[in-house]
Amino acid sequence: MNSNFEKKIFKPNFYNLSYSFKEMNLIIDENIKRNDSIVLVIFDIENFKDINTIYGYDFGNLVLDKIMSIIKEIYSSNGSLFRFCGDKYVHINCEKKGIDNIISMSEKLLTRVKEPIIIYGQGVCITLSIGISLYSNHTSHPQDVMQQAEIALEQAKEEGGSCYKIFNKQNNLIKKKLLAMDLKKALYMKQFLLYFQPQFNIDNGSIESAEVLIRWKHEIEGLIKPDKFIKIIEENNFGIEFGNWVIRESCRQNMIWRQKGLQPIPLSVNISQGQFYDKNFISNLENILLEFDLEPEYLQLEITERIFIDSYERALNIIKNIKSLGIKVALDDFGTGNSSLISAMSLPFDIIKLDKFFLNNIEYDLRKRQQTTVIFKFLKSINDNIIIEGIENNTQLEFVKENGFNKVQGFLLSQPLECSNFEKLLKQNKVVEEI
Ligand code: C2E
Ligand code: MG
Ligand code: MG
């Protein structure tokens, strides 16, 4: 009997057959069709690769077989057991009181695998983690059961391993993982929108450039701002893909405006740490400019100090490479977090963006006004291209003018605008009221 046929009849406990994700989903579907509820358990051996590396694959296979028989022995009641993706196992239980039994069996298994596994007289110790998810009619989608068990497994590992976790939507880590899944989907479904916040020259009221700010157009929750999701994107493996998409879309949009005959302005894009250090970053920038036949002066990049705190030399090199393409680099959020005058002075930034921190309470706090004036004077002496962020009222605007700055960005002059509204503004090129 060939292995595919064996798999097709969903016969469990084939020690040497490993089921794929797709096959597992088919098996789960079959079980769901026949039962109102199921409990799904995933078992994962931590760092199993190390066993293969140290003792060889044959030995590794025997360890896998041994663990399979231990799991089988403990979870032998009503259910099926599968080897999955090489070194994981999946148990499907369709009993009415499945979950209570599963918990006590999981505790038993975790205690049992603490004993060394003996093969050819050689004892190996392994760490096992367990993720559990439940499916019952109407509460979740069949395809989610597997993914939810994997998320619970991740949680078990993040808590140090050697434990079991049951999937629960309310858990923080689970929420994060779910959000990451939704964001990945959102990228694929094109649910992200570019917003544009003008950067004005207050000497003549013209828009000199604009910052690109991302928004998520969520099906249910409406427009979501980046502080709710940008960190999750940056922490996940699609952060680079997302970042490249933002740069590409910005250049594409800029080219469209140019083709419509609007006055060309640079668009300033925020860059994450992962993107900045990605080995393909510079070549991607080059390709995107080429693709849209866009002159490099119409793209600017904003980075924050967090990015280069650990590897100053590497950061310096990357900044030089970006600049050699003709793209300007701005130091964003200066005045917050880890800002240091040393890096503002010694790294070759074209632009420094001063955070709204400098303007907070400037209306009431005389001492802060005086101190800020001194800092502003110093900053002007090290960089003559400074943008003041976060101007919300006229007192702040006046203060900025008094200090001799003319490039500003803030809600007083314009909120970040959706593409068509920004386009209207660009056509008129005059200040709008808050929207
Ligand atoms: P940021 O780069 O410092 O962007 C400026 C933020 O300040 C924006 O918030 C903007 O709406 C807000 N802002 C502008 N004027 C004012 C004002 O007068 N008062 C106040 N209180 N806020 C003002 P937003 O759009 O929510 O973005 C937050 C942060 O998310 C950005 O901070 C940036 O760090 C990040 N971000 C946004 N888009 C992207 C992106 O495409 N990629 C990456 N990696 N990060 C992004
Ligand atoms: Mg920014
Ligand atoms: Mg900023």
Side-chain angles (χ1 to χ4, degrees):
M1 198 189 296
N2 78 25
S3 64
N4 276 341
F5 184 69
E6 286 178 2
K7 281 181 173 180
K8 265 193 192 127
I9 60 173
F10 302 147
K11 196 174 170 194
N13 299 342
F14 280 103
Y15 286 172
N16 294 316
L17 299 182
S18 176
Y19 289 74
S20 68
F21 191 75
K22 202 169 152 197
E23 288 167 330
M24 270 324 305
N25 268 330
L26 277 172
I27 296 168
I28 293 163
D29 271 354
E30 281 296 309
N31 276 276
I32 283 173
K33 272 183 205 149
R34 290 197 300 263
N35 300 280
D36 285 346
S37 61
I38 65 167
V39 183
L40 192 121
V41 191
I42 298 192
F43 310 86
D44 184 45
I45 310 163
E46 232 147 86
N47 301 326
F48 184 72
K49 276 198 275 332
D50 291 351
I51 294 183
N52 278 337
T53 314
I54 299 166
Y55 302 104
Y57 284 94
D58 289 345
F59 189 93
N61 281 337
L62 291 174
V63 174
L64 285 175
D65 287 353
K66 181 79 184 165
I67 295 169
M68 179 101 172
S69 53
I70 296 171
I71 300 175
K72 192 179 159 210
E73 195 186 300
I74 293 175
Y75 292 74
S76 61
S77 58
N78 234 342
S80 329
L81 182 62
F82 305 86
R83 212 173 119 192
F84 165 58
C85 287
D87 64 350
K88 287 183 182 167
Y89 307 89
V90 172
H91 170 64
I92 300 174
N93 189 299
C94 307
E95 288 174 315
K96 281 270 171 283
K97 284 200 161 180
I99 188 66
D100 298 334
N101 290 338
I102 292 289
I103 289 173
S104 65
M105 290 187 287
S106 300
E107 282 163 357
K108 201 167 159 188
L109 176 67
L110 289 167
T111 313
R112 170 70 179 79
V113 293
K114 281 192 178 129
E115 294 166 24
I117 291 169
I118 312 287
I119 290 174
Y120 299 144
Q122 170 87 44
V124 280
C125 290
I126 58 134
T127 309
L128 198 80
S129 297
I130 302 175
I132 303 170
S133 71
L134 300 121
Y135 169 85
S136 60
N137 267 345
H138 314 299
T139 57
S140 52
H141 200 272
Q143 273 116 46
D144 292 340
V145 193
M146 188 74 177
Q147 232 154 8
Q148 292 177 347
E150 294 239 43
I151 292 173
L153 177 68
E154 277 294 298
Q155 193 198 356
K157 286 188 197 172
E158 278 185 32
E159 288 186 16
S162 243
C163 62
Y164 70 86
K165 285 285 159 218
I166 302 171
F167 177 81
N168 169 6
K169 268 190 181 161
Q170 300 318 314
N171 177 288
N172 253 351
L173 185 95
I174 306 292
K175 277 190 192 160
K176 258 174 106 173
K177 300 265 177 205
L178 284 177
L179 182 58
M181 275 203 270
D182 282 354
L183 287 164
K184 211 168 175 178
K185 202 161 71 189
L187 184 59
Y188 180 74
M189 310 270 286
K190 302 198 178 351
Q191 289 176 346
F192 290 113
L193 295 178
L194 302 188
Y195 268 52
F196 303 88
Q197 188 176 30
Q199 295 169 332
F200 290 95
N201 181 330
I202 44 178
D203 289 343
N204 56 19
S206 68
I207 299 170
E208 285 202 334
S209 48
E211 178 170 8
V212 178
L213 294 160
I214 202 73
R215 299 289 180 266
W216 178 11
K217 200 170 178 193
H218 193 277
E219 300 132 297
I220 300 159
E221 291 174 39
L223 211 59
I224 305 182
K225 286 195 175 177
D227 54 341
K228 295 270 186 303
F229 62 84
I230 201 78
K231 273 212 179 72
I232 308 277
I233 291 189
E234 291 179 357
E235 280 166 12
N236 275 277
N237 54 6
F238 55 98
I240 292 172
E241 187 188 346
F242 169 84
N244 284 332
W245 178 84
V246 177
I247 301 176
R248 215 177 151 268
E249 278 305 293
S250 303
C251 291
R252 198 175 65 83
Q253 188 53 59
N254 216 355
M255 196 31 84
I256 292 173
W257 284 329
R258 290 194 54 182
Q259 282 165 352
K260 285 184 174 179
L262 295 173
Q263 181 212 342
I265 55 159
L267 290 182
S268 195
V269 179
N270 291 286
I271 301 298
S272 71
Q273 180 157 13
Q275 243 182 311
F276 184 78
Y277 288 109
D278 175 34
K279 62 179 185 336
N280 298 320
F281 185 48
I282 302 294
S283 58
N284 279 341
L285 287 171
E286 227 167 348
N287 290 339
I288 293 171
L289 290 176
L290 271 176
E291 181 183 350
F292 297 106
D293 196 18
L294 192 71
E295 292 89 337
E297 62 261 39
Y298 296 115
L299 177 64
Q300 291 176 0
L301 305 181
E302 294 189 11
I303 59 172
T304 63
E305 213 152 342
R306 271 194 317 270
I307 285 183
F308 49 82
I309 223 105
D310 290 335
S311 44
Y312 181 88
E313 287 303 321
R314 260 181 90 198
L316 179 63
N317 256 334
I318 298 169
I319 293 174
K320 280 184 181 161
N321 287 337
I322 299 171
K323 287 176 60 130
S324 72
L325 297 178
I327 296 171
K328 288 201 172 85
V329 183
L331 173 61
D332 198 3
D333 297 345
F334 187 83
T336 60
N338 303 309
S339 301
S340 96
L341 284 174
I342 310 282
S343 31
M345 282 165 73
S346 50
L347 284 169
F349 292 107
D350 299 290
I351 302 159
I352 297 183
K353 294 187 73 181
L354 303 193
D355 190 77
K356 66 177 170 32
F357 160 81
F358 287 109
L359 301 180
N360 288 345
N361 305 328
I362 213 83
E363 307 90 305
Y364 326 104
D365 190 339
L366 184 66
R367 209 173 128 75
K368 185 168 180 190
R369 274 180 92 97
Q370 287 163 345
Q371 287 170 341
T372 307
T373 301
V374 175
I375 298 171
F376 276 0
K377 207 169 174 181
F378 177 72
L379 287 170
K380 269 173 76 178
S381 73
I382 58 170
N383 194 312
D384 60 1
N385 201 352
I386 289 181
I387 298 180
I388 315 278
E389 287 195 274
I391 298 197
E392 293 179 344
N393 59 48
N394 281 312
T395 316
Q396 292 171 339
L397 187 63
E398 282 311 311
F399 178 69
V400 164
K401 278 185 194 164
E402 278 165 25
N403 279 279
F405 293 113
N406 61 0
K407 290 184 185 142
V408 298
Q409 178 181 347
F411 293 167
L412 178 72
L413 301 161
S414 171
Q415 291 268 344
L417 300 171
E418 181 263 322
C419 186
S420 60
N421 286 337
F422 183 77
E423 186 173 317
K424 279 183 209 151
L425 189 67
L426 205 54
K427 273 182 193 155
Q428 302 158 4
N429 210 354
K430 69 172 195 197
V431 181
V432 285
E433 299 293 313
E434 265 187 31
I435 52 161

